[in-house]
Amino acid sequence: RGPAVRAPRAQCDKKLYQFAVKEVLETTADLDIRQEMVTGIRAEGGRVKGVSCRRGVRYDARAVVLCPGTFLSAVLHIGEEIVAGGRGGEPAAEGVSWSLRALGFPVERLKTGTPPRINSRSIDREKVALQPGDEDPVFFSFTTRKVAQEQVPCHIAFTNERTHEIIKANLDRAPVYTGQITSTGPRYCPSIEVKVVRFPDRGRHQLFLEPEGLNTREVYLNGAATSLPRDVQEEMVHSVEGLEKAEIMRYGYAVEYDFVPPREIYASLETKRIGGLFFAGQINGTSGYEEAAGQGILAGANAALCARGADPVTIGRHEAYIGVMVDDLVTKGVDEPYRMFTSRAEYRLLLRYDNADMRLMPLGRSLGLVGDEAWERFEEKRHQVAAVSAFLEGTSAGGATLARRLVRPEVTIEALAREFPQLGEYRRDVLDQVETDTKYAGYIARQEAGVERMKRQENLSLPRGTDYDAIGELKFESREKLKIHQPATVAQAARIPGVNPTDISILVMYLRRGMPLLEGGSIIR
């Protein structure tokens, strides 16, 4: 529905990805790899010292990234059955939660779930809708030009009134309704039983049948996350048209696990209590692969910088969705598993997938994360974008520049390329980016002005340990929120729920009048 909310999506082979990354790690110079079960975090004097593992093994470290997913003291629910485990068939991580509590961290519980997996050979493909991939796909990586592997389509099926009757008749056996599960689950990705109860007027719910890989027949029944008993899952799946004879290879389940409220971390993902200890992924109260991966990139980079004794890098809300996510976590906290949506970003027209390289490659290069070959390709693209933009601005036809013509809704870059063959010399992704930048130039300028206003507040730094109780004019609720969250800047304070614009004005006036405040490197009193 427009470039501000458009994004590519891919269904990928998990095992191929796993083994490809494993090979990268195992062939990386100066990288030692150990596979151990960590049971505790070691710290001394407010600094991390390393980790303890089973059988008394200890590793020393100047920086540690803790990214345990859903495994911390986790239990799985399938109907009345409750078993320890962080994922189907895998053991839970025990001990780390107690170690964190001993270091003073608050530890709480969340819940998430997964759907049944079925055998693709048991699907009646005549009764489900084909969902082929794009013939000309948009890739996540700017360096990818084509995919050599065979592409496998997805399919769509729908629940029906019979499915819903089966679910409603068994709610007394559903852990999310019997009180067996007490933790909060993701509001935006509810289980099928919650969807049926929450939306009683919906006659059907969409299910995506997603192949798990090229070398397996396992199909992920996306949209049917459940913790209902096995016999109910069988009946529920078989009530769906096209799945009447479906063979369930793995039953759906819910998992409850420990997390640490994200007010305990800075925007660098380093913990406030223990220097050199970083949290990434579901331990921070998020849910989802992309969210965890984004935090992993940031935490890993900052852990390396920490080990070198260098300053951490942080990413702003106007720079990337990673920045939006991390800022939401550290300023607002979570009361349910956090998911990243474009609607959470006030500058989303600046955060398009097509300009991610323009926004973030220079930062990656400065951190040593972008190699020479990738940087050369980026420089080439940046040069081409500038050249096309200059051509549109400098070429007139019909009494207007091509840039002004392109702003009109009925004019496309493709049409201009047919009229002016010079444009055909440039890559499609370059033309698409210039087209978006040109058509939405007014809106982009408006958002950039908003970014500048935000930056002025970001430059007003709040010293760690600020005594908010001493600012009597602040509302009691605001003082309590500010003490809990300890925002790094005035802009971050303004985004904390319960802290209103009046509180911010009082805070700024008080800081300018009587408290040291860093602004652009100088101290104001």
Side-chain angles (χ1 to χ4, degrees):
R1 297 184 180 179
V5 295
R6 193 179 299 145
R9 182 180 186 274
Q11 179 67 17
C12 298
D13 188 309
K14 292 191 294 188
K15 289 299 181 182
L16 278 180
Y17 178 81
Q18 175 188 346
F19 289 125
V21 173
K22 191 171 188 289
E23 182 180 10
V24 169
L25 294 174
E26 292 172 349
T27 56
T28 296
D30 303 318
L31 176 64
D32 295 326
I33 299 174
R34 299 287 186 277
Q35 298 183 33
E36 301 270 13
M37 175 62 79
V38 173
T39 57
I41 304 298
R42 295 168 35 234
E44 183 181 310
R47 296 289 307 178
V48 75
K49 292 298 180 181
V51 297
S52 301
C53 302
R54 283 182 180 172
R55 295 178 292 277
V57 177
R58 290 156 60 103
Y59 290 95
D60 295 333
R62 292 192 295 272
V64 171
V65 180
L66 187 57
C67 43
T70 60
F71 285 77
L72 282 185
S73 301
V75 293
L76 307 179
H77 300 263
I78 305 178
E80 298 87 353
E81 181 183 356
I82 304 175
V83 295
R87 203 161 42 214
E90 299 185 52
E94 305 291 352
V96 176
S97 294
W98 292 110
S99 170
L100 293 173
R101 289 188 180 95
L103 293 172
F105 289 97
V107 178
E108 300 177 11
R109 301 282 277 179
L110 285 175
K111 168 258 178 187
T112 189
T114 192
R117 274 78 158 182
I118 61 179
N119 194 319
S120 65
R121 69 182 181 183
S122 63
I123 298 171
D124 187 341
R125 299 185 185 278
E126 297 297 321
K127 296 181 180 180
V128 293
L130 182 69
Q131 288 286 300
D134 294 340
E135 291 185 8
D136 185 20
V138 173
F139 298 107
F140 284 86
S141 171
F142 290 95
T143 62
T144 302
R145 292 286 173 258
K146 63 180 180 179
V147 171
Q149 291 94 338
E150 170 196 1
Q151 295 303 288
V152 180
C154 296
H155 292 80
I156 287 180
F158 294 91
T159 63
N160 51 55
E161 293 294 351
R162 174 62 183 148
T163 313
H164 300 176
E165 289 171 7
I166 293 168
I167 292 170
K168 287 185 281 190
N170 288 279
L171 290 177
D172 61 337
R173 302 177 65 195
V176 292
Y177 287 109
T178 63
Q180 180 175 313
I181 292 176
T182 58
S183 306
T184 304
R187 178 163 41 110
Y188 297 102
C189 301
S191 65
I192 188 64
E193 50 265 42
V194 170
K195 283 192 280 191
V196 167
V197 171
R198 187 180 296 172
F199 307 106
D201 298 331
R202 291 280 296 274
R204 66 179 191 172
H205 292 281
Q206 187 169 261
L207 306 177
F208 283 96
L209 281 57
E210 301 175 341
E212 290 274 56
L214 297 174
N215 299 306
T216 177
R217 295 296 176 262
E218 197 169 339
V219 173
Y220 186 93
L221 202 55
N222 194 350
T226 184
S227 57
L228 286 163
R230 286 175 168 81
D231 60 306
V232 180
Q233 291 191 40
E234 292 276 0
E235 192 178 0
M236 175 185 74
V237 169
H238 293 157
S239 70
V240 175
E241 186 174 7
L243 305 183
E244 294 90 347
K245 297 182 180 180
E247 300 171 10
I248 296 181
M249 301 175 70
R250 192 189 311 182
Y251 292 93
Y253 57 85
V255 55
E256 287 187 290
Y257 57 94
D258 285 347
F259 82 105
V260 176
R263 63 175 178 269
E264 293 289 330
I265 56 174
Y266 295 114
S268 63
L269 301 186
E270 185 177 22
T271 66
K272 296 176 180 178
R273 295 177 188 268
I274 304 297
L277 176 61
F278 296 80
F279 289 166
Q282 286 173 290
I283 192 172
N284 289 328
T286 62
S287 178
Y289 302 114
E290 299 89 345
E291 288 82 354
Q295 292 172 63
I297 291 170
L298 184 61
N302 278 328
L305 292 169
C306 175
R308 294 180 188 172
D311 292 335
V313 61
T314 57
I315 300 176
R317 297 181 69 89
H318 62 291
E319 295 176 300
Y321 279 107
I322 291 176
V324 175
M325 171 178 62
V326 172
D327 184 71
D328 281 350
L329 292 173
V330 301
T331 59
K332 301 176 182 178
V334 298
D335 53 14
E336 63 179 339
Y338 177 95
R339 296 302 301 265
M340 185 68 248
F341 298 103
T342 55
S343 59
R344 297 188 188 274
E346 58 271 58
Y347 309 117
R348 52 187 173 271
L349 194 53
L350 305 180
L351 306 182
R352 308 188 312 272
Y353 75 87
D354 64 292
N355 67 6
D357 52 351
M358 298 294 179
R359 291 183 280 113
L360 296 171
M361 272 255 188
L363 174 61
R365 181 69 169 176
S366 70
L367 295 173
L369 299 175
V370 176
D372 292 341
E373 185 178 347
W375 183 252
E376 288 173 6
R377 284 195 294 264
F378 167 68
E379 290 277 52
E380 179 188 0
K381 180 186 174 183
R382 184 157 58 177
H383 173 76
Q384 289 191 14
V385 167
V388 173
S389 298
F391 179 79
L392 295 179
E393 290 287 352
T395 304
S396 295
T401 65
L402 299 188
R404 292 298 298 267
R405 286 178 58 188
L406 187 56
V407 170
R408 300 170 189 165
E410 70 277 8
V411 179
T412 66
I413 196 78
E414 288 182 355
L416 292 180
R418 288 193 295 269
E419 188 177 347
F420 297 89
Q422 301 95 314
L423 293 173
E425 300 172 5
Y426 296 96
R427 296 203 317 256
R428 178 72 213 185
D429 59 329
V430 170
L431 297 177
D432 287 344
Q433 183 170 327
V434 173
E435 180 176 30
T436 300
D437 286 338
T438 303
K439 283 187 175 295
Y440 292 87
Y443 296 100
I444 291 172
R446 193 178 306 167
Q447 291 200 354
E448 288 174 339
V451 168
E452 291 305 312
R453 288 192 296 270
M454 180 192 68
K455 284 181 178 179
R456 287 195 288 272
Q457 286 193 330
E458 292 286 7
N459 285 335
L460 300 176
S461 300
L462 293 168
R464 292 184 185 180
T466 296
D467 184 8
Y468 295 104
D469 285 327
I471 309 176
E473 296 88 346
L474 290 175
K475 290 189 311 178
F476 175 79
E477 180 187 4
S478 296
R479 291 201 301 271
E480 293 301 302
K481 292 289 183 68
L482 291 166
K483 285 190 294 185
I484 291 172
H485 291 279
Q486 287 294 314
T489 67
V490 169
Q492 198 176 85
R495 293 191 289 271
I496 297 173
V499 179
N500 63 36
T502 302
D503 298 318
I504 296 302
S505 297
I506 292 170
L507 180 60
V508 171
M509 289 171 57
Y510 181 88
L511 293 172
R512 290 188 181 279
R513 185 172 66 238
M515 184 181 296
L517 176 65
L518 295 176
E519 183 183 35
S522 61
I523 295 181
I524 299 175
R525 291 189 181 275

PDB file of all heavy atoms in Angstrom, residues 18 25 80 197 205 207 213 261 294 324-327 371 386-387 391 413 495 508 522:
ATOM      1  N   GLN A  18      21.142 -22.647   7.988  1.00  0.00           N
ATOM      2  CA  GLN A  18      21.901 -23.036   9.177  1.00  0.00           C
ATOM      3  C   GLN A  18      23.295 -23.541   8.814  1.00  0.00           C
ATOM      4  O   GLN A  18      24.298 -23.121   9.402  1.00  0.00           O
ATOM      5  CB  GLN A  18      21.134 -24.121   9.941  1.00  0.00           C
ATOM      6  CG  GLN A  18      21.885 -24.701  11.127  1.00  0.00           C
ATOM      7  CD  GLN A  18      21.164 -25.891  11.724  1.00  0.00           C
ATOM      8  OE1 GLN A  18      19.999 -26.143  11.448  1.00  0.00           O
ATOM      9  NE2 GLN A  18      21.866 -26.650  12.548  1.00  0.00           N
ATOM     10  N   LEU A  25      31.154 -19.526   9.872  1.00  0.00           N
ATOM     11  CA  LEU A  25      31.770 -19.407  11.193  1.00  0.00           C
ATOM     12  C   LEU A  25      32.997 -20.303  11.319  1.00  0.00           C
ATOM     13  O   LEU A  25      34.047 -19.886  11.819  1.00  0.00           O
ATOM     14  CB  LEU A  25      30.755 -19.758  12.279  1.00  0.00           C
ATOM     15  CG  LEU A  25      29.564 -18.806  12.425  1.00  0.00           C
ATOM     16  CD1 LEU A  25      28.575 -19.352  13.441  1.00  0.00           C
ATOM     17  CD2 LEU A  25      30.025 -17.420  12.840  1.00  0.00           C
ATOM     18  N   GLU A  80      -3.034 -30.852  28.290  1.00  0.00           N
ATOM     19  CA  GLU A  80      -2.718 -30.946  29.716  1.00  0.00           C
ATOM     20  C   GLU A  80      -1.262 -31.309  29.962  1.00  0.00           C
ATOM     21  O   GLU A  80      -0.773 -31.246  31.090  1.00  0.00           O
ATOM     22  CB  GLU A  80      -3.623 -32.011  30.374  1.00  0.00           C
ATOM     23  CG  GLU A  80      -5.107 -31.697  30.314  1.00  0.00           C
ATOM     24  CD  GLU A  80      -5.769 -32.185  29.025  1.00  0.00           C
ATOM     25  OE1 GLU A  80      -5.040 -32.657  28.113  1.00  0.00           O
ATOM     26  OE2 GLU A  80      -7.004 -32.076  28.925  1.00  0.00           O
ATOM     27  N   VAL A 197     -12.080 -17.194  19.583  1.00  0.00           N
ATOM     28  CA  VAL A 197     -12.827 -16.573  20.687  1.00  0.00           C
ATOM     29  C   VAL A 197     -12.891 -15.061  20.514  1.00  0.00           C
ATOM     30  O   VAL A 197     -13.936 -14.439  20.730  1.00  0.00           O
ATOM     31  CB  VAL A 197     -12.176 -16.939  22.040  1.00  0.00           C
ATOM     32  CG1 VAL A 197     -12.802 -16.129  23.174  1.00  0.00           C
ATOM     33  CG2 VAL A 197     -12.310 -18.430  22.304  1.00  0.00           C
ATOM     34  N   HIS A 205     -10.554 -18.279   9.004  1.00  0.00           N
ATOM     35  CA  HIS A 205      -9.243 -17.647   9.193  1.00  0.00           C
ATOM     36  C   HIS A 205      -8.272 -18.267   8.182  1.00  0.00           C
ATOM     37  O   HIS A 205      -8.312 -19.474   7.909  1.00  0.00           O
ATOM     38  CB  HIS A 205      -8.728 -17.864  10.618  1.00  0.00           C
ATOM     39  CG  HIS A 205      -9.517 -17.135  11.656  1.00  0.00           C
ATOM     40  ND1 HIS A 205      -9.368 -15.786  11.909  1.00  0.00           N
ATOM     41  CD2 HIS A 205     -10.488 -17.569  12.496  1.00  0.00           C
ATOM     42  CE1 HIS A 205     -10.207 -15.426  12.871  1.00  0.00           C
ATOM     43  NE2 HIS A 205     -10.899 -16.485  13.243  1.00  0.00           N
ATOM     44  N   LEU A 207      -4.920 -19.684   6.517  1.00  0.00           N
ATOM     45  CA  LEU A 207      -3.758 -20.481   6.897  1.00  0.00           C
ATOM     46  C   LEU A 207      -2.783 -20.528   5.729  1.00  0.00           C
ATOM     47  O   LEU A 207      -3.182 -20.826   4.605  1.00  0.00           O
ATOM     48  CB  LEU A 207      -4.179 -21.914   7.258  1.00  0.00           C
ATOM     49  CG  LEU A 207      -5.264 -22.088   8.324  1.00  0.00           C
ATOM     50  CD1 LEU A 207      -5.604 -23.557   8.490  1.00  0.00           C
ATOM     51  CD2 LEU A 207      -4.832 -21.487   9.654  1.00  0.00           C
ATOM     52  N   GLY A 213      11.553 -26.690   3.753  1.00  0.00           N
ATOM     53  CA  GLY A 213      12.840 -26.758   3.073  1.00  0.00           C
ATOM     54  C   GLY A 213      12.750 -27.555   1.785  1.00  0.00           C
ATOM     55  O   GLY A 213      11.716 -28.145   1.460  1.00  0.00           O
ATOM     56  N   PRO A 261      12.973  -7.713  31.726  1.00  0.00           N
ATOM     57  CA  PRO A 261      12.363  -6.489  31.191  1.00  0.00           C
ATOM     58  C   PRO A 261      13.419  -5.585  30.560  1.00  0.00           C
ATOM     59  O   PRO A 261      14.486  -5.346  31.160  1.00  0.00           O
ATOM     60  CB  PRO A 261      11.743  -5.837  32.436  1.00  0.00           C
ATOM     61  CG  PRO A 261      11.451  -6.985  33.348  1.00  0.00           C
ATOM     62  CD  PRO A 261      12.587  -7.956  33.132  1.00  0.00           C
ATOM     63  N   GLY A 294      18.032  -8.748  14.289  1.00  0.00           N
ATOM     64  CA  GLY A 294      18.437  -7.348  14.360  1.00  0.00           C
ATOM     65  C   GLY A 294      19.175  -7.040  15.651  1.00  0.00           C
ATOM     66  O   GLY A 294      20.198  -6.342  15.657  1.00  0.00           O
ATOM     67  N   VAL A 324      14.222   1.766  15.809  1.00  0.00           N
ATOM     68  CA  VAL A 324      12.865   1.922  16.330  1.00  0.00           C
ATOM     69  C   VAL A 324      12.596   0.856  17.388  1.00  0.00           C
ATOM     70  O   VAL A 324      12.096   1.144  18.488  1.00  0.00           O
ATOM     71  CB  VAL A 324      11.824   1.805  15.195  1.00  0.00           C
ATOM     72  CG1 VAL A 324      10.408   1.840  15.753  1.00  0.00           C
ATOM     73  CG2 VAL A 324      12.023   2.924  14.178  1.00  0.00           C
ATOM     74  N   MET A 325      12.927  -0.393  17.061  1.00  0.00           N
ATOM     75  CA  MET A 325      12.680  -1.502  17.973  1.00  0.00           C
ATOM     76  C   MET A 325      13.412  -1.323  19.297  1.00  0.00           C
ATOM     77  O   MET A 325      12.807  -1.422  20.372  1.00  0.00           O
ATOM     78  CB  MET A 325      13.116  -2.808  17.314  1.00  0.00           C
ATOM     79  CG  MET A 325      13.110  -4.006  18.243  1.00  0.00           C
ATOM     80  SD  MET A 325      13.575  -5.546  17.416  1.00  0.00           S
ATOM     81  CE  MET A 325      15.257  -5.175  16.885  1.00  0.00           C
ATOM     82  N   VAL A 326      14.701  -1.041  19.239  1.00  0.00           N
ATOM     83  CA  VAL A 326      15.488  -0.927  20.460  1.00  0.00           C
ATOM     84  C   VAL A 326      15.016   0.260  21.290  1.00  0.00           C
ATOM     85  O   VAL A 326      14.881   0.164  22.517  1.00  0.00           O
ATOM     86  CB  VAL A 326      16.986  -0.811  20.127  1.00  0.00           C
ATOM     87  CG1 VAL A 326      17.795  -0.487  21.377  1.00  0.00           C
ATOM     88  CG2 VAL A 326      17.492  -2.106  19.495  1.00  0.00           C
ATOM     89  N   ASP A 327      14.702   1.370  20.631  1.00  0.00           N
ATOM     90  CA  ASP A 327      14.222   2.538  21.365  1.00  0.00           C
ATOM     91  C   ASP A 327      12.876   2.243  22.034  1.00  0.00           C
ATOM     92  O   ASP A 327      12.640   2.630  23.179  1.00  0.00           O
ATOM     93  CB  ASP A 327      14.085   3.732  20.420  1.00  0.00           C
ATOM     94  CG  ASP A 327      13.689   5.000  21.166  1.00  0.00           C
ATOM     95  OD1 ASP A 327      14.539   5.536  21.911  1.00  0.00           O
ATOM     96  OD2 ASP A 327      12.533   5.442  21.044  1.00  0.00           O
ATOM     97  N   GLY A 371      32.810  -5.467   3.559  1.00  0.00           N
ATOM     98  CA  GLY A 371      34.071  -5.695   2.868  1.00  0.00           C
ATOM     99  C   GLY A 371      34.248  -4.812   1.643  1.00  0.00           C
ATOM    100  O   GLY A 371      33.331  -4.090   1.235  1.00  0.00           O
ATOM    101  N   ALA A 386      22.675   9.089  -7.951  1.00  0.00           N
ATOM    102  CA  ALA A 386      22.940  10.523  -8.106  1.00  0.00           C
ATOM    103  C   ALA A 386      22.865  10.941  -9.575  1.00  0.00           C
ATOM    104  O   ALA A 386      22.323  12.006  -9.903  1.00  0.00           O
ATOM    105  CB  ALA A 386      24.305  10.858  -7.522  1.00  0.00           C
ATOM    106  N   ALA A 387      23.378  10.078 -10.471  1.00  0.00           N
ATOM    107  CA  ALA A 387      23.377  10.416 -11.893  1.00  0.00           C
ATOM    108  C   ALA A 387      21.956  10.462 -12.453  1.00  0.00           C
ATOM    109  O   ALA A 387      21.597  11.375 -13.218  1.00  0.00           O
ATOM    110  CB  ALA A 387      24.220   9.398 -12.665  1.00  0.00           C
ATOM    111  N   PHE A 391      19.956  13.708 -13.922  1.00  0.00           N
ATOM    112  CA  PHE A 391      19.381  13.691 -15.269  1.00  0.00           C
ATOM    113  C   PHE A 391      17.928  14.138 -15.240  1.00  0.00           C
ATOM    114  O   PHE A 391      17.484  14.937 -16.080  1.00  0.00           O
ATOM    115  CB  PHE A 391      19.496  12.282 -15.867  1.00  0.00           C
ATOM    116  CG  PHE A 391      18.899  12.161 -17.241  1.00  0.00           C
ATOM    117  CD1 PHE A 391      19.585  12.611 -18.359  1.00  0.00           C
ATOM    118  CD2 PHE A 391      17.634  11.607 -17.407  1.00  0.00           C
ATOM    119  CE1 PHE A 391      19.024  12.510 -19.636  1.00  0.00           C
ATOM    120  CE2 PHE A 391      17.071  11.500 -18.673  1.00  0.00           C
ATOM    121  CZ  PHE A 391      17.766  11.956 -19.793  1.00  0.00           C
ATOM    122  N   ILE A 413       8.599   5.767 -13.955  1.00  0.00           N
ATOM    123  CA  ILE A 413       9.979   5.798 -14.435  1.00  0.00           C
ATOM    124  C   ILE A 413      10.126   4.913 -15.674  1.00  0.00           C
ATOM    125  O   ILE A 413      10.953   5.196 -16.553  1.00  0.00           O
ATOM    126  CB  ILE A 413      10.948   5.338 -13.312  1.00  0.00           C
ATOM    127  CG1 ILE A 413      12.400   5.747 -13.651  1.00  0.00           C
ATOM    128  CG2 ILE A 413      10.845   3.852 -13.066  1.00  0.00           C
ATOM    129  CD1 ILE A 413      12.709   7.186 -13.402  1.00  0.00           C
ATOM    130  N   ARG A 495       9.354   9.901  24.889  1.00  0.00           N
ATOM    131  CA  ARG A 495       8.685   8.736  24.317  1.00  0.00           C
ATOM    132  C   ARG A 495       8.236   7.726  25.360  1.00  0.00           C
ATOM    133  O   ARG A 495       7.632   6.711  25.023  1.00  0.00           O
ATOM    134  CB  ARG A 495       9.609   8.065  23.286  1.00  0.00           C
ATOM    135  CG  ARG A 495       9.870   8.918  22.056  1.00  0.00           C
ATOM    136  CD  ARG A 495      10.563   8.135  20.960  1.00  0.00           C
ATOM    137  NE  ARG A 495      11.932   7.814  21.264  1.00  0.00           N
ATOM    138  CZ  ARG A 495      12.991   8.581  20.977  1.00  0.00           C
ATOM    139  NH1 ARG A 495      12.798   9.750  20.388  1.00  0.00           N
ATOM    140  NH2 ARG A 495      14.214   8.207  21.283  1.00  0.00           N
ATOM    141  N   VAL A 508      13.267  20.155  30.760  1.00  0.00           N
ATOM    142  CA  VAL A 508      14.254  20.936  30.011  1.00  0.00           C
ATOM    143  C   VAL A 508      14.562  22.249  30.731  1.00  0.00           C
ATOM    144  O   VAL A 508      15.729  22.644  30.871  1.00  0.00           O
ATOM    145  CB  VAL A 508      13.751  21.212  28.580  1.00  0.00           C
ATOM    146  CG1 VAL A 508      14.662  22.199  27.873  1.00  0.00           C
ATOM    147  CG2 VAL A 508      13.682  19.912  27.786  1.00  0.00           C
ATOM    148  N   SER A 522      28.975  20.738  24.844  1.00  0.00           N
ATOM    149  CA  SER A 522      29.229  21.745  25.867  1.00  0.00           C
ATOM    150  C   SER A 522      28.354  21.478  27.080  1.00  0.00           C
ATOM    151  O   SER A 522      27.422  20.686  27.042  1.00  0.00           O
ATOM    152  CB  SER A 522      28.934  23.140  25.315  1.00  0.00           C
ATOM    153  OG  SER A 522      27.579  23.235  24.926  1.00  0.00           O
TER     154      SER A 522
END
